[in-house]
Amino acid sequence: MLYSPLDAIPPTVAIWTTLSNWYVIFGTAAGVVVTAYMVYQIMKNRVKPGREVPAYHHEEEGDWGNWKGVVLLLCLTGSVLAFVEYQTFASASLITIPSAPNSLHVEVTGRQYQWSFSYPNGYTDFNNLTVPANQIVILNLTSADVTHGFYIPALSVAKDAQPGITTQMWFNATQTGVFPIECRQLCGVGHTLMLSKLVVLSPADYQKWYSALPSTTATKGGP
Ligand SMILES: [Cu+2]
């Protein structure tokens, strides 16, 4: 059974929802203030009968106007935005991957048009990514050919898998179930069929599943 994205709310989704709400609140407040000030200035400075239009043009500024002020303002705005964006990603632990002694590390390789999942014991699965619930899972992503995008819609997490380098992403699934995994980068004619499943088991079921694995043996569906 497949679940819709809203069925699973792990910590990362909760963080993103909170951040998104703050962005909407501050964005709306800033919009209201700017629009109100703009309307106020328009009403205040509109041309009325018998009123002179003020001369704003200053000869000494030349054609570029107050370019130093514009550059300063752009630098200031850019710095604030960069700081806020960095803090946003840092607060969601997307810059520094969280680690715990019991984190599960899985090597994920994308290739046209299939994902493969290699576990610490050497077992490689070409169909499902099977993980325990309520445990930090760290994925080491790479690609055997072109750039792919590893995407778990239900958990709001995604990261590109690129040839030649290893990128990391993490998640902590709090609900057991089966969730879709998709490729998010257009990688060729089979892109839309590059689907896998995330199988989240209870910790006990996961241990049972893991200890019964035939190590270093790939399941059906391999290349
Ligand atoms: Cu792909």
mmCIF file with all atom_site columns, all heavy atoms in Angstrom, residues 47-72:
data_model
loop_
_atom_site.group_PDB
_atom_site.id
_atom_site.type_symbol
_atom_site.label_atom_id
_atom_site.label_alt_id
_atom_site.label_comp_id
_atom_site.label_asym_id
_atom_site.label_entity_id
_atom_site.label_seq_id
_atom_site.pdbx_PDB_ins_code
_atom_site.Cartn_x
_atom_site.Cartn_y
_atom_site.Cartn_z
_atom_site.occupancy
_atom_site.B_iso_or_equiv
_atom_site.pdbx_formal_charge
_atom_site.auth_seq_id
_atom_site.auth_comp_id
_atom_site.auth_asym_id
_atom_site.auth_atom_id
_atom_site.pdbx_PDB_model_num
ATOM 1   N N   . VAL A 1 47 ? 0.081  64.689 -7.940  1.00 0.00 ? 47 VAL A N   1
ATOM 2   C CA  . VAL A 1 47 ? -0.030 66.065 -8.441  1.00 0.00 ? 47 VAL A CA  1
ATOM 3   C C   . VAL A 1 47 ? -1.455 66.569 -8.243  1.00 0.00 ? 47 VAL A C   1
ATOM 4   O O   . VAL A 1 47 ? -2.416 65.915 -8.644  1.00 0.00 ? 47 VAL A O   1
ATOM 5   C CB  . VAL A 1 47 ? 0.342  66.115 -9.944  1.00 0.00 ? 47 VAL A CB  1
ATOM 6   C CG1 . VAL A 1 47 ? 0.186  67.534 -10.471 1.00 0.00 ? 47 VAL A CG1 1
ATOM 7   C CG2 . VAL A 1 47 ? 1.748  65.610 -10.154 1.00 0.00 ? 47 VAL A CG2 1
ATOM 8   N N   . LYS A 1 48 ? -1.541 67.686 -7.556  1.00 0.00 ? 48 LYS A N   1
ATOM 9   C CA  . LYS A 1 48 ? -2.867 68.292 -7.353  1.00 0.00 ? 48 LYS A CA  1
ATOM 10  C C   . LYS A 1 48 ? -2.895 69.630 -8.102  1.00 0.00 ? 48 LYS A C   1
ATOM 11  O O   . LYS A 1 48 ? -1.845 70.219 -8.343  1.00 0.00 ? 48 LYS A O   1
ATOM 12  C CB  . LYS A 1 48 ? -3.106 68.558 -5.867  1.00 0.00 ? 48 LYS A CB  1
ATOM 13  C CG  . LYS A 1 48 ? -3.243 67.298 -5.037  1.00 0.00 ? 48 LYS A CG  1
ATOM 14  C CD  . LYS A 1 48 ? -3.337 67.680 -3.556  1.00 0.00 ? 48 LYS A CD  1
ATOM 15  C CE  . LYS A 1 48 ? -3.101 66.465 -2.696  1.00 0.00 ? 48 LYS A CE  1
ATOM 16  N NZ  . LYS A 1 48 ? -2.533 66.824 -1.394  1.00 0.00 ? 48 LYS A NZ  1
ATOM 17  N N   . PRO A 1 49 ? -4.087 70.107 -8.448  1.00 0.00 ? 49 PRO A N   1
ATOM 18  C CA  . PRO A 1 49 ? -4.181 71.407 -9.125  1.00 0.00 ? 49 PRO A CA  1
ATOM 19  C C   . PRO A 1 49 ? -3.543 72.489 -8.259  1.00 0.00 ? 49 PRO A C   1
ATOM 20  O O   . PRO A 1 49 ? -3.739 72.524 -7.047  1.00 0.00 ? 49 PRO A O   1
ATOM 21  C CB  . PRO A 1 49 ? -5.692 71.635 -9.266  1.00 0.00 ? 49 PRO A CB  1
ATOM 22  C CG  . PRO A 1 49 ? -6.311 70.291 -9.105  1.00 0.00 ? 49 PRO A CG  1
ATOM 23  C CD  . PRO A 1 49 ? -5.411 69.488 -8.238  1.00 0.00 ? 49 PRO A CD  1
ATOM 24  N N   . GLY A 1 50 ? -2.753 73.312 -8.900  1.00 0.00 ? 50 GLY A N   1
ATOM 25  C CA  . GLY A 1 50 ? -2.139 74.419 -8.186  1.00 0.00 ? 50 GLY A CA  1
ATOM 26  C C   . GLY A 1 50 ? -0.921 74.033 -7.387  1.00 0.00 ? 50 GLY A C   1
ATOM 27  O O   . GLY A 1 50 ? -0.406 74.825 -6.599  1.00 0.00 ? 50 GLY A O   1
ATOM 28  N N   . ARG A 1 51 ? -0.444 72.777 -7.571  1.00 0.00 ? 51 ARG A N   1
ATOM 29  C CA  . ARG A 1 51 ? 0.736  72.354 -6.811  1.00 0.00 ? 51 ARG A CA  1
ATOM 30  C C   . ARG A 1 51 ? 1.897  72.092 -7.763  1.00 0.00 ? 51 ARG A C   1
ATOM 31  O O   . ARG A 1 51 ? 1.741  71.434 -8.780  1.00 0.00 ? 51 ARG A O   1
ATOM 32  C CB  . ARG A 1 51 ? 0.411  71.083 -6.032  1.00 0.00 ? 51 ARG A CB  1
ATOM 33  C CG  . ARG A 1 51 ? 1.559  70.640 -5.142  1.00 0.00 ? 51 ARG A CG  1
ATOM 34  C CD  . ARG A 1 51 ? 1.126  69.463 -4.325  1.00 0.00 ? 51 ARG A CD  1
ATOM 35  N NE  . ARG A 1 51 ? 2.296  68.783 -3.794  1.00 0.00 ? 51 ARG A NE  1
ATOM 36  C CZ  . ARG A 1 51 ? 2.226  67.639 -3.153  1.00 0.00 ? 51 ARG A CZ  1
ATOM 37  N NH1 . ARG A 1 51 ? 1.061  67.048 -2.985  1.00 0.00 ? 51 ARG A NH1 1
ATOM 38  N NH2 . ARG A 1 51 ? 3.305  67.083 -2.682  1.00 0.00 ? 51 ARG A NH2 1
ATOM 39  N N   . GLU A 1 52 ? 3.063  72.566 -7.388  1.00 0.00 ? 52 GLU A N   1
ATOM 40  C CA  . GLU A 1 52 ? 4.220  72.414 -8.263  1.00 0.00 ? 52 GLU A CA  1
ATOM 41  C C   . GLU A 1 52 ? 4.799  71.007 -8.163  1.00 0.00 ? 52 GLU A C   1
ATOM 42  O O   . GLU A 1 52 ? 4.819  70.427 -7.091  1.00 0.00 ? 52 GLU A O   1
ATOM 43  C CB  . GLU A 1 52 ? 5.311  73.409 -7.867  1.00 0.00 ? 52 GLU A CB  1
ATOM 44  C CG  . GLU A 1 52 ? 5.246  74.736 -8.626  1.00 0.00 ? 52 GLU A CG  1
ATOM 45  C CD  . GLU A 1 52 ? 6.422  75.622 -8.244  1.00 0.00 ? 52 GLU A CD  1
ATOM 46  O OE1 . GLU A 1 52 ? 7.564  75.130 -8.298  1.00 0.00 ? 52 GLU A OE1 1
ATOM 47  O OE2 . GLU A 1 52 ? 6.174  76.787 -7.885  1.00 0.00 ? 52 GLU A OE2 1
ATOM 48  N N   . VAL A 1 53 ? 5.250  70.500 -9.322  1.00 0.00 ? 53 VAL A N   1
ATOM 49  C CA  . VAL A 1 53 ? 5.914  69.195 -9.304  1.00 0.00 ? 53 VAL A CA  1
ATOM 50  C C   . VAL A 1 53 ? 7.347  69.415 -8.828  1.00 0.00 ? 53 VAL A C   1
ATOM 51  O O   . VAL A 1 53 ? 8.074  70.215 -9.409  1.00 0.00 ? 53 VAL A O   1
ATOM 52  C CB  . VAL A 1 53 ? 5.914  68.566 -10.709 1.00 0.00 ? 53 VAL A CB  1
ATOM 53  C CG1 . VAL A 1 53 ? 6.631  67.222 -10.684 1.00 0.00 ? 53 VAL A CG1 1
ATOM 54  C CG2 . VAL A 1 53 ? 4.480  68.415 -11.202 1.00 0.00 ? 53 VAL A CG2 1
ATOM 55  N N   . PRO A 1 54 ? 7.761  68.737 -7.743  1.00 0.00 ? 54 PRO A N   1
ATOM 56  C CA  . PRO A 1 54 ? 9.122  68.960 -7.243  1.00 0.00 ? 54 PRO A CA  1
ATOM 57  C C   . PRO A 1 54 ? 10.172 68.425 -8.215  1.00 0.00 ? 54 PRO A C   1
ATOM 58  O O   . PRO A 1 54 ? 9.956  67.411 -8.866  1.00 0.00 ? 54 PRO A O   1
ATOM 59  C CB  . PRO A 1 54 ? 9.154  68.180 -5.926  1.00 0.00 ? 54 PRO A CB  1
ATOM 60  C CG  . PRO A 1 54 ? 8.043  67.201 -6.020  1.00 0.00 ? 54 PRO A CG  1
ATOM 61  C CD  . PRO A 1 54 ? 7.020  67.753 -6.961  1.00 0.00 ? 54 PRO A CD  1
ATOM 62  N N   . ALA A 1 55 ? 11.288 69.116 -8.320  1.00 0.00 ? 55 ALA A N   1
ATOM 63  C CA  . ALA A 1 55 ? 12.369 68.691 -9.214  1.00 0.00 ? 55 ALA A CA  1
ATOM 64  C C   . ALA A 1 55 ? 13.299 67.754 -8.447  1.00 0.00 ? 55 ALA A C   1
ATOM 65  O O   . ALA A 1 55 ? 13.936 68.140 -7.488  1.00 0.00 ? 55 ALA A O   1
ATOM 66  C CB  . ALA A 1 55 ? 13.121 69.916 -9.712  1.00 0.00 ? 55 ALA A CB  1
ATOM 67  N N   . TYR A 1 56 ? 13.323 66.482 -8.883  1.00 0.00 ? 56 TYR A N   1
ATOM 68  C CA  . TYR A 1 56 ? 14.154 65.502 -8.174  1.00 0.00 ? 56 TYR A CA  1
ATOM 69  C C   . TYR A 1 56 ? 15.529 65.354 -8.796  1.00 0.00 ? 56 TYR A C   1
ATOM 70  O O   . TYR A 1 56 ? 16.429 64.802 -8.215  1.00 0.00 ? 56 TYR A O   1
ATOM 71  C CB  . TYR A 1 56 ? 13.458 64.130 -8.171  1.00 0.00 ? 56 TYR A CB  1
ATOM 72  C CG  . TYR A 1 56 ? 12.324 64.057 -7.198  1.00 0.00 ? 56 TYR A CG  1
ATOM 73  C CD1 . TYR A 1 56 ? 11.013 63.871 -7.618  1.00 0.00 ? 56 TYR A CD1 1
ATOM 74  C CD2 . TYR A 1 56 ? 12.576 64.185 -5.828  1.00 0.00 ? 56 TYR A CD2 1
ATOM 75  C CE1 . TYR A 1 56 ? 9.966  63.808 -6.713  1.00 0.00 ? 56 TYR A CE1 1
ATOM 76  C CE2 . TYR A 1 56 ? 11.544 64.131 -4.915  1.00 0.00 ? 56 TYR A CE2 1
ATOM 77  C CZ  . TYR A 1 56 ? 10.237 63.927 -5.364  1.00 0.00 ? 56 TYR A CZ  1
ATOM 78  O OH  . TYR A 1 56 ? 9.225  63.870 -4.470  1.00 0.00 ? 56 TYR A OH  1
ATOM 79  N N   . HIS A 1 57 ? 15.658 65.767 -10.066 1.00 0.00 ? 57 HIS A N   1
ATOM 80  C CA  . HIS A 1 57 ? 16.900 65.509 -10.786 1.00 0.00 ? 57 HIS A CA  1
ATOM 81  C C   . HIS A 1 57 ? 18.041 66.371 -10.257 1.00 0.00 ? 57 HIS A C   1
ATOM 82  O O   . HIS A 1 57 ? 17.912 67.577 -10.144 1.00 0.00 ? 57 HIS A O   1
ATOM 83  C CB  . HIS A 1 57 ? 16.694 65.761 -12.282 1.00 0.00 ? 57 HIS A CB  1
ATOM 84  C CG  . HIS A 1 57 ? 17.885 65.368 -13.089 1.00 0.00 ? 57 HIS A CG  1
ATOM 85  N ND1 . HIS A 1 57 ? 18.212 64.048 -13.300 1.00 0.00 ? 57 HIS A ND1 1
ATOM 86  C CD2 . HIS A 1 57 ? 18.829 66.106 -13.708 1.00 0.00 ? 57 HIS A CD2 1
ATOM 87  C CE1 . HIS A 1 57 ? 19.313 63.997 -14.036 1.00 0.00 ? 57 HIS A CE1 1
ATOM 88  N NE2 . HIS A 1 57 ? 19.708 65.234 -14.291 1.00 0.00 ? 57 HIS A NE2 1
ATOM 89  N N   . HIS A 1 58 ? 19.147 65.695 -9.896  1.00 0.00 ? 58 HIS A N   1
ATOM 90  C CA  . HIS A 1 58 ? 20.323 66.434 -9.446  1.00 0.00 ? 58 HIS A CA  1
ATOM 91  C C   . HIS A 1 58 ? 21.407 66.307 -10.495 1.00 0.00 ? 58 HIS A C   1
ATOM 92  O O   . HIS A 1 58 ? 21.790 65.201 -10.858 1.00 0.00 ? 58 HIS A O   1
ATOM 93  C CB  . HIS A 1 58 ? 20.818 65.894 -8.101  1.00 0.00 ? 58 HIS A CB  1
ATOM 94  C CG  . HIS A 1 58 ? 19.775 66.003 -7.034  1.00 0.00 ? 58 HIS A CG  1
ATOM 95  N ND1 . HIS A 1 58 ? 19.403 67.206 -6.495  1.00 0.00 ? 58 HIS A ND1 1
ATOM 96  C CD2 . HIS A 1 58 ? 19.030 65.063 -6.409  1.00 0.00 ? 58 HIS A CD2 1
ATOM 97  C CE1 . HIS A 1 58 ? 18.467 67.005 -5.581  1.00 0.00 ? 58 HIS A CE1 1
ATOM 98  N NE2 . HIS A 1 58 ? 18.214 65.706 -5.510  1.00 0.00 ? 58 HIS A NE2 1
ATOM 99  N N   . GLU A 1 59 ? 21.935 67.446 -10.933 1.00 0.00 ? 59 GLU A N   1
ATOM 100 C CA  . GLU A 1 59 ? 22.926 67.469 -12.008 1.00 0.00 ? 59 GLU A CA  1
ATOM 101 C C   . GLU A 1 59 ? 24.158 66.633 -11.666 1.00 0.00 ? 59 GLU A C   1
ATOM 102 O O   . GLU A 1 59 ? 24.691 65.909 -12.488 1.00 0.00 ? 59 GLU A O   1
ATOM 103 C CB  . GLU A 1 59 ? 23.350 68.918 -12.307 1.00 0.00 ? 59 GLU A CB  1
ATOM 104 C CG  . GLU A 1 59 ? 22.306 69.733 -13.063 1.00 0.00 ? 59 GLU A CG  1
ATOM 105 C CD  . GLU A 1 59 ? 21.985 69.130 -14.427 1.00 0.00 ? 59 GLU A CD  1
ATOM 106 O OE1 . GLU A 1 59 ? 22.910 68.612 -15.073 1.00 0.00 ? 59 GLU A OE1 1
ATOM 107 O OE2 . GLU A 1 59 ? 20.804 69.167 -14.832 1.00 0.00 ? 59 GLU A OE2 1
ATOM 108 N N   . GLU A 1 60 ? 24.621 66.730 -10.412 1.00 0.00 ? 60 GLU A N   1
ATOM 109 C CA  . GLU A 1 60 ? 25.907 66.104 -10.063 1.00 0.00 ? 60 GLU A CA  1
ATOM 110 C C   . GLU A 1 60 ? 25.853 64.574 -10.074 1.00 0.00 ? 60 GLU A C   1
ATOM 111 O O   . GLU A 1 60 ? 26.869 63.905 -10.106 1.00 0.00 ? 60 GLU A O   1
ATOM 112 C CB  . GLU A 1 60 ? 26.400 66.599 -8.689  1.00 0.00 ? 60 GLU A CB  1
ATOM 113 C CG  . GLU A 1 60 ? 25.538 66.157 -7.514  1.00 0.00 ? 60 GLU A CG  1
ATOM 114 C CD  . GLU A 1 60 ? 24.382 67.117 -7.230  1.00 0.00 ? 60 GLU A CD  1
ATOM 115 O OE1 . GLU A 1 60 ? 24.032 67.936 -8.111  1.00 0.00 ? 60 GLU A OE1 1
ATOM 116 O OE2 . GLU A 1 60 ? 23.845 67.052 -6.134  1.00 0.00 ? 60 GLU A OE2 1
ATOM 117 N N   . GLU A 1 61 ? 24.662 63.996 -10.069 1.00 0.00 ? 61 GLU A N   1
ATOM 118 C CA  . GLU A 1 61 ? 24.567 62.533 -10.051 1.00 0.00 ? 61 GLU A CA  1
ATOM 119 C C   . GLU A 1 61 ? 24.766 61.913 -11.430 1.00 0.00 ? 61 GLU A C   1
ATOM 120 O O   . GLU A 1 61 ? 25.067 60.735 -11.545 1.00 0.00 ? 61 GLU A O   1
ATOM 121 C CB  . GLU A 1 61 ? 23.194 62.094 -9.499  1.00 0.00 ? 61 GLU A CB  1
ATOM 122 C CG  . GLU A 1 61 ? 23.121 62.260 -7.990  1.00 0.00 ? 61 GLU A CG  1
ATOM 123 C CD  . GLU A 1 61 ? 21.755 61.922 -7.465  1.00 0.00 ? 61 GLU A CD  1
ATOM 124 O OE1 . GLU A 1 61 ? 20.870 61.592 -8.277  1.00 0.00 ? 61 GLU A OE1 1
ATOM 125 O OE2 . GLU A 1 61 ? 21.567 61.992 -6.245  1.00 0.00 ? 61 GLU A OE2 1
ATOM 126 N N   . GLY A 1 62 ? 24.618 62.703 -12.476 1.00 0.00 ? 62 GLY A N   1
ATOM 127 C CA  . GLY A 1 62 ? 24.826 62.202 -13.828 1.00 0.00 ? 62 GLY A CA  1
ATOM 128 C C   . GLY A 1 62 ? 23.790 61.164 -14.212 1.00 0.00 ? 62 GLY A C   1
ATOM 129 O O   . GLY A 1 62 ? 22.765 61.018 -13.553 1.00 0.00 ? 62 GLY A O   1
ATOM 130 N N   . ASP A 1 63 ? 24.102 60.385 -15.267 1.00 0.00 ? 63 ASP A N   1
ATOM 131 C CA  . ASP A 1 63 ? 23.123 59.423 -15.785 1.00 0.00 ? 63 ASP A CA  1
ATOM 132 C C   . ASP A 1 63 ? 22.929 58.223 -14.870 1.00 0.00 ? 63 ASP A C   1
ATOM 133 O O   . ASP A 1 63 ? 21.907 57.556 -14.908 1.00 0.00 ? 63 ASP A O   1
ATOM 134 C CB  . ASP A 1 63 ? 23.572 58.927 -17.162 1.00 0.00 ? 63 ASP A CB  1
ATOM 135 C CG  . ASP A 1 63 ? 23.379 60.006 -18.218 1.00 0.00 ? 63 ASP A CG  1
ATOM 136 O OD1 . ASP A 1 63 ? 22.525 60.900 -17.994 1.00 0.00 ? 63 ASP A OD1 1
ATOM 137 O OD2 . ASP A 1 63 ? 24.078 59.965 -19.230 1.00 0.00 ? 63 ASP A OD2 1
ATOM 138 N N   . TRP A 1 64 ? 23.945 57.903 -14.060 1.00 0.00 ? 64 TRP A N   1
ATOM 139 C CA  . TRP A 1 64 ? 23.871 56.690 -13.242 1.00 0.00 ? 64 TRP A CA  1
ATOM 140 C C   . TRP A 1 64 ? 23.120 56.917 -11.929 1.00 0.00 ? 64 TRP A C   1
ATOM 141 O O   . TRP A 1 64 ? 22.885 55.972 -11.187 1.00 0.00 ? 64 TRP A O   1
ATOM 142 C CB  . TRP A 1 64 ? 25.278 56.164 -12.941 1.00 0.00 ? 64 TRP A CB  1
ATOM 143 C CG  . TRP A 1 64 ? 25.870 55.495 -14.129 1.00 0.00 ? 64 TRP A CG  1
ATOM 144 C CD1 . TRP A 1 64 ? 26.633 56.065 -15.107 1.00 0.00 ? 64 TRP A CD1 1
ATOM 145 C CD2 . TRP A 1 64 ? 25.710 54.114 -14.484 1.00 0.00 ? 64 TRP A CD2 1
ATOM 146 N NE1 . TRP A 1 64 ? 26.966 55.133 -16.058 1.00 0.00 ? 64 TRP A NE1 1
ATOM 147 C CE2 . TRP A 1 64 ? 26.416 53.934 -15.703 1.00 0.00 ? 64 TRP A CE2 1
ATOM 148 C CE3 . TRP A 1 64 ? 25.047 53.034 -13.909 1.00 0.00 ? 64 TRP A CE3 1
ATOM 149 C CZ2 . TRP A 1 64 ? 26.467 52.696 -16.348 1.00 0.00 ? 64 TRP A CZ2 1
ATOM 150 C CZ3 . TRP A 1 64 ? 25.118 51.821 -14.547 1.00 0.00 ? 64 TRP A CZ3 1
ATOM 151 C CH2 . TRP A 1 64 ? 25.812 51.652 -15.757 1.00 0.00 ? 64 TRP A CH2 1
ATOM 152 N N   . GLY A 1 65 ? 22.811 58.163 -11.640 1.00 0.00 ? 65 GLY A N   1
ATOM 153 C CA  . GLY A 1 65 ? 22.112 58.427 -10.387 1.00 0.00 ? 65 GLY A CA  1
ATOM 154 C C   . GLY A 1 65 ? 23.000 58.094 -9.210  1.00 0.00 ? 65 GLY A C   1
ATOM 155 O O   . GLY A 1 65 ? 24.226 58.131 -9.299  1.00 0.00 ? 65 GLY A O   1
ATOM 156 N N   . ASN A 1 66 ? 22.386 57.683 -8.113  1.00 0.00 ? 66 ASN A N   1
ATOM 157 C CA  . ASN A 1 66 ? 23.134 57.389 -6.900  1.00 0.00 ? 66 ASN A CA  1
ATOM 158 C C   . ASN A 1 66 ? 23.594 55.932 -6.918  1.00 0.00 ? 66 ASN A C   1
ATOM 159 O O   . ASN A 1 66 ? 23.129 55.099 -6.168  1.00 0.00 ? 66 ASN A O   1
ATOM 160 C CB  . ASN A 1 66 ? 22.236 57.670 -5.694  1.00 0.00 ? 66 ASN A CB  1
ATOM 161 C CG  . ASN A 1 66 ? 22.989 57.528 -4.402  1.00 0.00 ? 66 ASN A CG  1
ATOM 162 O OD1 . ASN A 1 66 ? 24.219 57.442 -4.390  1.00 0.00 ? 66 ASN A OD1 1
ATOM 163 N ND2 . ASN A 1 66 ? 22.261 57.509 -3.314  1.00 0.00 ? 66 ASN A ND2 1
ATOM 164 N N   . TRP A 1 67 ? 24.554 55.593 -7.801  1.00 0.00 ? 67 TRP A N   1
ATOM 165 C CA  . TRP A 1 67 ? 24.926 54.190 -7.995  1.00 0.00 ? 67 TRP A CA  1
ATOM 166 C C   . TRP A 1 67 ? 25.603 53.587 -6.771  1.00 0.00 ? 67 TRP A C   1
ATOM 167 O O   . TRP A 1 67 ? 25.463 52.400 -6.497  1.00 0.00 ? 67 TRP A O   1
ATOM 168 C CB  . TRP A 1 67 ? 25.799 54.026 -9.230  1.00 0.00 ? 67 TRP A CB  1
ATOM 169 C CG  . TRP A 1 67 ? 27.170 54.641 -9.125  1.00 0.00 ? 67 TRP A CG  1
ATOM 170 C CD1 . TRP A 1 67 ? 27.519 55.911 -9.442  1.00 0.00 ? 67 TRP A CD1 1
ATOM 171 C CD2 . TRP A 1 67 ? 28.351 54.004 -8.634  1.00 0.00 ? 67 TRP A CD2 1
ATOM 172 N NE1 . TRP A 1 67 ? 28.840 56.130 -9.193  1.00 0.00 ? 67 TRP A NE1 1
ATOM 173 C CE2 . TRP A 1 67 ? 29.394 54.969 -8.699  1.00 0.00 ? 67 TRP A CE2 1
ATOM 174 C CE3 . TRP A 1 67 ? 28.647 52.734 -8.164  1.00 0.00 ? 67 TRP A CE3 1
ATOM 175 C CZ2 . TRP A 1 67 ? 30.693 54.698 -8.294  1.00 0.00 ? 67 TRP A CZ2 1
ATOM 176 C CZ3 . TRP A 1 67 ? 29.957 52.450 -7.767  1.00 0.00 ? 67 TRP A CZ3 1
ATOM 177 C CH2 . TRP A 1 67 ? 30.962 53.427 -7.822  1.00 0.00 ? 67 TRP A CH2 1
ATOM 178 N N   . LYS A 1 68 ? 26.318 54.408 -6.011  1.00 0.00 ? 68 LYS A N   1
ATOM 179 C CA  . LYS A 1 68 ? 26.971 53.874 -4.808  1.00 0.00 ? 68 LYS A CA  1
ATOM 180 C C   . LYS A 1 68 ? 25.924 53.394 -3.805  1.00 0.00 ? 68 LYS A C   1
ATOM 181 O O   . LYS A 1 68 ? 26.077 52.341 -3.178  1.00 0.00 ? 68 LYS A O   1
ATOM 182 C CB  . LYS A 1 68 ? 27.855 54.940 -4.175  1.00 0.00 ? 68 LYS A CB  1
ATOM 183 C CG  . LYS A 1 68 ? 29.188 55.101 -4.867  1.00 0.00 ? 68 LYS A CG  1
ATOM 184 C CD  . LYS A 1 68 ? 29.997 56.221 -4.226  1.00 0.00 ? 68 LYS A CD  1
ATOM 185 C CE  . LYS A 1 68 ? 31.179 56.581 -5.113  1.00 0.00 ? 68 LYS A CE  1
ATOM 186 N NZ  . LYS A 1 68 ? 31.733 57.898 -4.774  1.00 0.00 ? 68 LYS A NZ  1
ATOM 187 N N   . GLY A 1 69 ? 24.874 54.166 -3.686  1.00 0.00 ? 69 GLY A N   1
ATOM 188 C CA  . GLY A 1 69 ? 23.790 53.781 -2.766  1.00 0.00 ? 69 GLY A CA  1
ATOM 189 C C   . GLY A 1 69 ? 23.124 52.494 -3.225  1.00 0.00 ? 69 GLY A C   1
ATOM 190 O O   . GLY A 1 69 ? 22.808 51.620 -2.419  1.00 0.00 ? 69 GLY A O   1
ATOM 191 N N   . VAL A 1 70 ? 22.944 52.357 -4.554  1.00 0.00 ? 70 VAL A N   1
ATOM 192 C CA  . VAL A 1 70 ? 22.311 51.152 -5.102  1.00 0.00 ? 70 VAL A CA  1
ATOM 193 C C   . VAL A 1 70 ? 23.181 49.926 -4.832  1.00 0.00 ? 70 VAL A C   1
ATOM 194 O O   . VAL A 1 70 ? 22.701 48.884 -4.386  1.00 0.00 ? 70 VAL A O   1
ATOM 195 C CB  . VAL A 1 70 ? 22.057 51.312 -6.626  1.00 0.00 ? 70 VAL A CB  1
ATOM 196 C CG1 . VAL A 1 70 ? 21.603 49.998 -7.231  1.00 0.00 ? 70 VAL A CG1 1
ATOM 197 C CG2 . VAL A 1 70 ? 21.016 52.397 -6.876  1.00 0.00 ? 70 VAL A CG2 1
ATOM 198 N N   . VAL A 1 71 ? 24.500 50.046 -5.082  1.00 0.00 ? 71 VAL A N   1
ATOM 199 C CA  . VAL A 1 71 ? 25.425 48.925 -4.840  1.00 0.00 ? 71 VAL A CA  1
ATOM 200 C C   . VAL A 1 71 ? 25.416 48.538 -3.370  1.00 0.00 ? 71 VAL A C   1
ATOM 201 O O   . VAL A 1 71 ? 25.343 47.352 -3.011  1.00 0.00 ? 71 VAL A O   1
ATOM 202 C CB  . VAL A 1 71 ? 26.859 49.299 -5.308  1.00 0.00 ? 71 VAL A CB  1
ATOM 203 C CG1 . VAL A 1 71 ? 27.863 48.246 -4.823  1.00 0.00 ? 71 VAL A CG1 1
ATOM 204 C CG2 . VAL A 1 71 ? 26.906 49.414 -6.823  1.00 0.00 ? 71 VAL A CG2 1
ATOM 205 N N   . LEU A 1 72 ? 25.457 49.538 -2.504  1.00 0.00 ? 72 LEU A N   1
ATOM 206 C CA  . LEU A 1 72 ? 25.445 49.285 -1.057  1.00 0.00 ? 72 LEU A CA  1
ATOM 207 C C   . LEU A 1 72 ? 24.179 48.544 -0.649  1.00 0.00 ? 72 LEU A C   1
ATOM 208 O O   . LEU A 1 72 ? 24.223 47.548 0.093   1.00 0.00 ? 72 LEU A O   1
ATOM 209 C CB  . LEU A 1 72 ? 25.548 50.617 -0.297  1.00 0.00 ? 72 LEU A CB  1
ATOM 210 C CG  . LEU A 1 72 ? 25.784 50.489 1.203   1.00 0.00 ? 72 LEU A CG  1
ATOM 211 C CD1 . LEU A 1 72 ? 27.208 49.987 1.449   1.00 0.00 ? 72 LEU A CD1 1
ATOM 212 C CD2 . LEU A 1 72 ? 25.573 51.827 1.899   1.00 0.00 ? 72 LEU A CD2 1
#
